[in-house]
Amino acid sequence: MTMSDFIPVNEPLLDGNEKKYLMQCIDTGWISSEGPFIKEFEETFAARMGRKHGIAVCNGTAALDVAVEALEIGPGDEVILPTFTIISCVLQIARSGAIPVLVDADPLTWNMDVTQIEARVTPRTKAIMVVHIYGLPVHMDPVLDIAKRYDLKIIEDAAEVIGQTYRGKPCGSFGEISTVSFYPNKHVTTGEGGMILTDDDELAERSRSLRNLCFQPKRRFVHEQLGWNLRMTNLQAALGLAQLERLDEFIGKKRWIGCRYNELLTGLAGVQLPSPATDYAENIYWVYGLVLNESLRFDAQELMAHLAKLGVGCRPFFYPLHQQPVLREMGFFKGEQYPVAERIGERGFYLPSGLALTEKQIDQVALACRDLIAY
Ligand SMILES: Cc1ncc(COP(=O)(O)O)c(C=O)c1O
């Protein structure tokens, strides 16, 4: 096997207008966050997501940090979120002195089990953070209902589902503040990048200010609040704009990849495949995940190691927040158990799922899985 035979877990497609727009940055000298692509990317992306404001930042984690701070979540406030998610979701909650309150995952969609949310609401609850995981959206209707009844804010992390909809409405349009990531495995990439989305003028203003060191419009270097420098560059926005032009095509390709894997892997004993659809959305297969039954002779780590030897790059599922050593050391989640998240965190992993994947590669990956698992 040579490096060129290796099938990476992700590879982006950059063969649209990316080079042309990047060259415009170089030719004009606009490479910082002051360049014209930033505004164009923010406006075009926000419009596509059905939002009034888009605030571009340097990554999706930063977008979540700003969202939590912009909502003034702080010491003693509680935020309900899934345990089965990336660490990015909890960072600013924990750093600000607020308390993350978890719910388990749904065993079929791998999203937060929305039936568990209401029991976790207390007088201190300030927000629910929903995170759409791996390609199917969170069941939003019950979440919106709880948020309304208890007067809670919604932070929506739509990093993995750019281009997905819930009952026909764009993911990224449901939160008081929503966020996305433009990391290269996302449906729109800027290398590193993210965006905050909102319809609220004040939240937008606060987010813009937090992103940019809280410089003041009148007296630039006099600061009344602590911000961050989380600005995106014009170079990144140029990439993002070119990518966004192809979003529908990219979602179509992701669906095709997922359906091809479904065809080749359905019926493989002992393996749970992604749910193709729910009654509120069809899967867009941001990644193609597998969960291995206890009956198999491999766990996820072992199978991934065997697949790597056959030239197939994979990634494990998220490790649940309640098991994260750093959070446990901070005193969170004592004695709490979330059996679904624990199981899929241990037994789940995903196959190569990037936009550059070819049919031949998919067939090769599926054959390798079949050979190893059915053996
Ligand atoms: C659900 C989710 N939220 C947030 C992030 C963080 O985004 P970034 O890597 O751009 O910081 C990711 C990252 O991949 C993610 O999957």
Side-chain angles (χ1 to χ4, degrees):
M1 184 179 56
T2 65
M3 269 315 273
S4 62
D5 296 328
F6 191 80
I7 304 173
V9 71
N10 176 67
E11 212 180 333
L13 275 184
L14 302 169
D15 53 353
N17 282 322
E18 287 81 0
K19 207 180 266 179
K20 181 175 152 200
Y21 296 166
L22 280 173
M23 284 313 293
Q24 285 178 28
C25 300
I26 307 284
D27 290 342
T28 59
W30 281 115
I31 56 172
S32 77
S33 61
E34 297 283 310
F37 279 122
I38 292 284
K39 190 160 182 281
E40 194 179 348
F41 183 44
E42 287 180 336
E43 288 180 356
T44 317
F45 191 86
R48 172 69 206 249
M49 298 294 122
R51 304 311 301 251
K52 189 169 172 193
H53 302 283
I55 299 108
V57 289
C58 54
N59 57 61
T61 304
L64 283 162
D65 291 349
V66 170
V68 171
E69 178 71 10
L71 288 172
E72 297 176 312
I73 288 166
D77 292 333
E78 293 180 0
V79 179
I80 299 173
L81 76 163
T83 187
F84 186 66
T85 189
I86 190 163
I87 193 83
S88 308
C89 297
V90 81
L91 294 177
Q92 180 59 19
I93 299 172
R95 284 191 179 122
S96 72
I99 299 156
V101 175
L102 303 179
V103 297
D104 204 352
D106 176 290
L108 291 180
T109 65
W110 306 324
N111 274 311
M112 69 200 295
D113 179 350
V114 297
T115 64
Q116 297 186 12
I117 294 176
E118 191 161 3
R120 304 293 272 150
V121 175
T122 75
R124 290 184 300 278
T125 309
K126 192 136 183 208
I128 304 170
M129 182 184 283
V130 295
V131 189
H132 309 290
I133 300 279
Y134 295 168
L136 276 171
V138 172
H139 190 8
M140 288 305 300
D141 285 342
V143 184
L144 294 167
D145 174 59
I146 294 167
K148 195 166 171 199
R149 281 190 287 116
Y150 292 93
D151 192 22
L152 307 175
K153 304 291 184 201
I154 292 183
I155 302 169
E156 180 193 17
D157 181 352
E160 301 180 0
V161 290
I162 297 171
Q164 174 60 295
T165 57
Y166 173 83
R167 297 200 193 283
K169 198 169 174 272
C171 291
S173 68
F174 288 93
E176 261 76 26
I177 293 202
S178 303
T179 63
V180 292
S181 158
F182 301 125
Y183 189 72
N185 60 1
K186 303 306 189 300
H187 301 141
V188 167
T189 185
T190 61
E192 299 283 350
M195 203 178 286
I196 298 141
L197 299 157
T198 183
D199 298 329
D200 184 309
D201 296 346
E202 243 177 70
L203 284 177
E205 203 39 53
R206 215 175 292 153
S207 301
R208 278 186 208 290
S209 179
L210 286 167
R211 160 185 77 173
N212 194 22
L213 296 171
C214 294
F215 284 132
Q216 297 224 74
K218 288 204 177 112
R219 293 200 63 193
R220 183 175 174 84
F221 293 111
V222 178
H223 299 266
E224 288 176 354
Q225 234 193 308
L226 297 179
W228 296 282
N229 176 357
L230 307 173
R231 300 183 299 254
M232 176 185 270
T233 68
N234 201 48
L235 294 158
Q236 292 166 307
L239 270 179
L241 203 60
Q243 289 268 295
L244 186 55
E245 291 169 353
R246 300 175 68 188
L247 179 55
D248 292 332
E249 177 199 336
F250 287 169
I251 295 299
K253 173 104 195 241
K254 283 284 188 168
R255 281 220 165 94
W256 171 80
I257 292 170
C259 291
R260 182 83 192 141
Y261 274 133
N262 283 340
E263 272 170 42
L264 298 168
L265 295 173
T266 297
L268 190 56
V271 181
Q272 180 190 347
L273 307 182
S275 303
T278 61
D279 63 357
Y280 45 82
E282 281 182 34
N283 207 328
I284 55 170
Y285 303 102
W286 172 62
V287 294
Y288 195 90
L290 304 179
V291 177
L292 304 177
N293 276 358
E294 286 75 358
S295 60
L296 294 180
R297 63 198 171 102
F298 296 126
D299 64 19
Q301 293 294 335
E302 288 163 341
L303 190 58
M304 283 191 297
H306 284 293
L307 283 167
K309 280 192 208 137
L310 296 174
V312 178
C314 299
R315 282 274 184 291
F317 270 19
F318 293 129
Y319 193 66
L321 295 182
H322 70 282
Q323 295 179 308
Q324 294 291 351
V326 63
L327 298 171
R328 294 186 75 96
E329 258 173 47
M330 290 174 83
F332 293 126
F333 321 131
K334 278 212 179 80
E336 295 181 23
Q337 288 180 326
Y338 300 92
V340 178
E342 284 166 28
R343 177 171 183 272
I344 62 177
E346 192 64 33
R347 311 204 64 81
F349 72 102
Y350 56 88
L351 300 176
S353 309
L355 286 162
L357 213 56
T358 64
E359 185 163 1
K360 190 168 159 234
Q361 288 177 316
I362 298 172
D363 293 2
Q364 225 173 301
V365 172
L367 189 66
C369 288
R370 280 199 162 273
D371 280 353
L372 285 165
I373 293 169
Y375 168 71

Coordinates of all heavy atoms in Angstrom, one line a residue, residues 58-64 85-89 131-134 157-160 179-186 191-194 286 318, ligand 1:
C58 N -13.0 32.5 13.9 CA -11.9 31.7 13.5 C -12.1 30.2 13.6 O -11.3 29.5 13.0 CB -10.6 32.2 14.2 SG -10.9 32.1 16.0
N59 N -13.1 29.8 14.3 CA -13.5 28.3 14.3 C -14.8 28.1 15.0 O -15.4 29.1 15.6 CB -12.4 27.5 14.9 CG -12.1 27.9 16.4 OD1 -12.9 27.9 17.2 ND2 -10.8 28.3 16.6
G60 N -15.3 26.9 14.9 CA -16.6 26.6 15.4 C -16.6 26.6 17.0 O -17.7 27.0 17.6
T61 N -15.5 26.3 17.6 CA -15.4 26.3 19.0 C -15.6 27.8 19.5 O -16.3 28.1 20.5 CB -14.1 25.7 19.5 OG1 -14.0 24.4 18.9 CG2 -13.9 25.7 21.0
A62 N -14.9 28.7 18.8 CA -14.9 30.1 19.2 C -16.4 30.6 19.0 O -16.8 31.4 19.8 CB -14.0 30.9 18.3
A63 N -17.1 30.1 18.0 CA -18.5 30.6 17.8 C -19.3 30.2 19.0 O -20.1 31.0 19.5 CB -19.0 29.9 16.5
L64 N -19.1 29.0 19.5 CA -19.8 28.5 20.7 C -19.5 29.3 21.9 O -20.3 29.7 22.7 CB -19.6 27.0 20.9 CG -20.3 26.1 20.0 CD1 -19.6 24.7 20.1 CD2 -21.8 26.0 20.4
T85 N -21.3 14.6 22.7 CA -20.9 15.7 21.8 C -19.4 16.0 21.9 O -18.7 15.4 22.8 CB -21.8 16.9 22.0 OG1 -21.5 17.9 21.0 CG2 -21.5 17.6 23.4
I86 N -19.0 16.9 21.1 CA -17.6 17.3 21.2 C -17.3 18.2 22.4 O -18.2 19.0 22.8 CB -17.2 18.0 19.9 CG1 -15.7 18.2 19.8 CG2 -17.9 19.3 19.7 CD1 -15.2 18.5 18.3
I87 N -16.1 18.3 22.9 CA -15.8 19.1 24.1 C -16.0 20.6 23.9 O -16.3 21.3 24.8 CB -14.3 18.8 24.5 CG1 -13.9 19.4 25.9 CG2 -13.3 19.4 23.4 CD1 -14.3 18.5 27.0
S88 N -16.0 21.0 22.6 CA -16.2 22.4 22.3 C -17.5 23.0 22.9 O -17.5 24.2 23.3 CB -16.3 22.6 20.8 OG -15.2 22.0 20.1
C89 N -18.5 22.1 23.0 CA -19.8 22.6 23.4 C -19.8 23.1 24.9 O -20.5 23.9 25.3 CB -20.8 21.5 23.3 SG -21.1 21.1 21.6
V131 N -27.3 20.1 19.8 CA -26.2 19.8 18.9 C -26.7 18.7 17.9 O -27.0 17.6 18.3 CB -25.0 19.3 19.7 CG1 -23.8 19.2 18.8 CG2 -24.7 20.1 20.9
H132 N -26.7 19.1 16.7 CA -27.1 18.1 15.6 C -25.9 17.2 15.3 O -24.9 17.7 14.9 CB -27.6 18.8 14.4 CG -28.6 19.9 14.6 ND1 -29.9 19.6 15.0 CD2 -28.5 21.2 14.5 CE1 -30.6 20.7 15.1 NE2 -29.8 21.7 14.8
I133 N -26.1 15.9 15.5 CA -25.0 15.0 15.5 C -25.0 14.1 14.2 O -25.9 13.4 13.9 CB -25.0 14.1 16.7 CG1 -24.9 14.9 18.0 CG2 -23.9 13.0 16.6 CD1 -23.5 15.3 18.4
Y134 N -23.9 14.1 13.5 CA -23.5 13.2 12.4 C -24.5 13.2 11.2 O -24.3 12.3 10.3 CB -23.5 11.7 13.0 CG -22.3 11.5 14.0 CD1 -22.3 10.4 14.8 CD2 -21.3 12.4 14.2 CE1 -21.3 10.1 15.7 CE2 -20.3 12.2 15.1 CZ -20.3 11.1 15.8 OH -19.3 10.8 16.8
D157 N -26.0 24.3 18.0 CA -24.8 24.0 17.3 C -25.0 23.2 16.0 O -25.3 22.0 16.1 CB -23.9 23.2 18.3 CG -22.5 22.8 17.7 OD1 -22.3 23.1 16.5 OD2 -21.6 22.3 18.4
A158 N -24.9 23.9 14.9 CA -25.3 23.2 13.6 C -24.0 22.9 12.8 O -24.0 22.8 11.6 CB -26.2 24.1 12.8
A159 N -22.9 22.8 13.5 CA -21.6 22.6 12.9 C -21.6 21.5 11.8 O -21.0 21.6 10.8 CB -20.5 22.3 13.9
E160 N -22.3 20.4 12.2 CA -22.2 19.2 11.4 C -23.3 19.1 10.3 O -23.3 18.1 9.6 CB -22.2 17.9 12.3 CG -21.1 17.9 13.3 CD -21.1 16.7 14.2 OE1 -22.0 15.9 14.1 OE2 -20.2 16.7 15.1
T179 N -24.7 28.3 15.8 CA -23.3 28.3 15.4 C -23.0 27.2 14.4 O -23.7 26.2 14.3 CB -22.3 28.1 16.6 OG1 -22.6 26.8 17.1 CG2 -22.6 29.2 17.7
V180 N -22.0 27.5 13.6 CA -21.5 26.5 12.7 C -19.9 26.5 12.7 O -19.3 27.4 13.2 CB -21.9 26.7 11.2 CG1 -23.4 26.5 11.0 CG2 -21.5 28.1 10.7
S181 N -19.4 25.4 12.1 CA -17.9 25.3 12.0 C -17.6 25.1 10.5 O -18.4 24.5 9.7 CB -17.4 24.0 12.7 OG -16.2 23.6 12.2
F182 N -16.5 25.6 10.1 CA -16.0 25.5 8.7 C -14.7 24.7 8.6 O -13.9 24.9 7.7 CB -15.9 26.9 8.0 CG -17.1 27.7 8.0 CD1 -17.1 29.0 8.5 CD2 -18.3 27.2 7.5 CE1 -18.2 29.8 8.5 CE2 -19.4 28.0 7.5 CZ -19.4 29.3 8.0
Y183 N -14.5 23.8 9.5 CA -13.3 22.9 9.5 C -13.4 22.1 8.2 O -14.5 21.9 7.7 CB -13.4 22.0 10.8 CG -12.1 21.2 10.9 CD1 -10.9 21.9 11.3 CD2 -12.1 19.8 10.7 CE1 -9.7 21.1 11.4 CE2 -10.9 19.1 10.8 CZ -9.7 19.8 11.2 OH -8.6 19.1 11.3
P184 N -12.3 21.5 7.7 CA -12.3 20.9 6.4 C -13.2 19.7 6.3 O -13.5 19.2 5.1 CB -10.9 20.5 6.1 CG -10.1 21.5 6.9 CD -10.9 21.8 8.1
N185 N -13.7 19.1 7.4 CA -14.6 18.0 7.2 C -16.1 18.5 7.2 O -17.0 17.6 7.1 CB -14.4 16.9 8.3 CG -14.6 17.5 9.7 OD1 -15.0 18.7 9.9 ND2 -14.5 16.7 10.7
K186 N -16.3 19.8 7.2 CA -17.7 20.3 7.2 C -18.2 20.5 5.8 O -17.4 20.5 4.8 CB -17.8 21.6 8.0 CG -17.3 21.4 9.5 CD -18.0 20.3 10.2 CE -17.7 20.2 11.7 NZ -16.3 20.0 12.1
G191 N -10.9 26.1 5.9 CA -9.7 25.6 6.5 C -9.9 25.5 8.0 O -10.1 24.5 8.6
E192 N -9.9 26.7 8.7 CA -10.4 26.8 10.0 C -11.5 28.0 9.9 O -11.3 28.9 9.2 CB -9.4 27.2 11.0 CG -8.2 26.2 11.2 CD -8.6 25.0 12.0 OE1 -9.7 25.0 12.7 OE2 -7.8 24.1 12.1
G193 N -12.5 27.9 10.7 CA -13.5 28.9 10.7 C -14.8 28.6 11.3 O -15.0 27.4 11.6
G194 N -15.6 29.5 11.5 CA -17.0 29.3 12.1 C -17.8 30.5 11.9 O -17.3 31.6 11.5
W286 N -23.4 13.4 7.4 CA -22.1 14.2 7.5 C -21.0 13.3 7.7 O -19.9 13.4 7.1 CB -22.2 15.2 8.7 CG -20.9 15.8 9.0 CD1 -20.3 16.7 8.1 CD2 -20.1 15.7 10.1 NE1 -19.1 17.0 8.7 CE2 -19.0 16.5 9.9 CE3 -20.2 15.0 11.3 CZ2 -17.9 16.6 10.8 CZ3 -19.2 15.1 12.3 CH2 -18.1 15.9 12.0
F318 N -17.6 10.3 19.5 CA -17.3 11.2 20.6 C -17.2 10.4 21.9 O -17.9 9.4 22.1 CB -18.3 12.3 20.8 CG -18.4 13.3 19.7 CD1 -19.6 13.6 19.0 CD2 -17.3 13.9 19.3 CE1 -19.7 14.5 18.0 CE2 -17.3 14.9 18.2 CZ -18.5 15.1 17.6
Ligands
LIG1 C1 -20.8 19.5 16.8 C2 -19.5 20.3 16.7 N1 -19.5 21.5 17.3 C3 -18.4 22.2 17.3 C4 -17.3 21.8 16.7 C5 -16.0 22.6 16.7 O1 -15.7 23.2 15.5 P1 -14.2 23.7 15.2 O2 -13.4 22.4 15.0 O3 -14.3 24.5 14.0 O4 -13.7 24.4 16.4 C6 -17.3 20.6 16.0 C7 -16.1 20.2 15.3 O5 -15.7 19.5 14.5 C8 -18.4 19.8 16.0 O6 -18.5 18.6 15.4

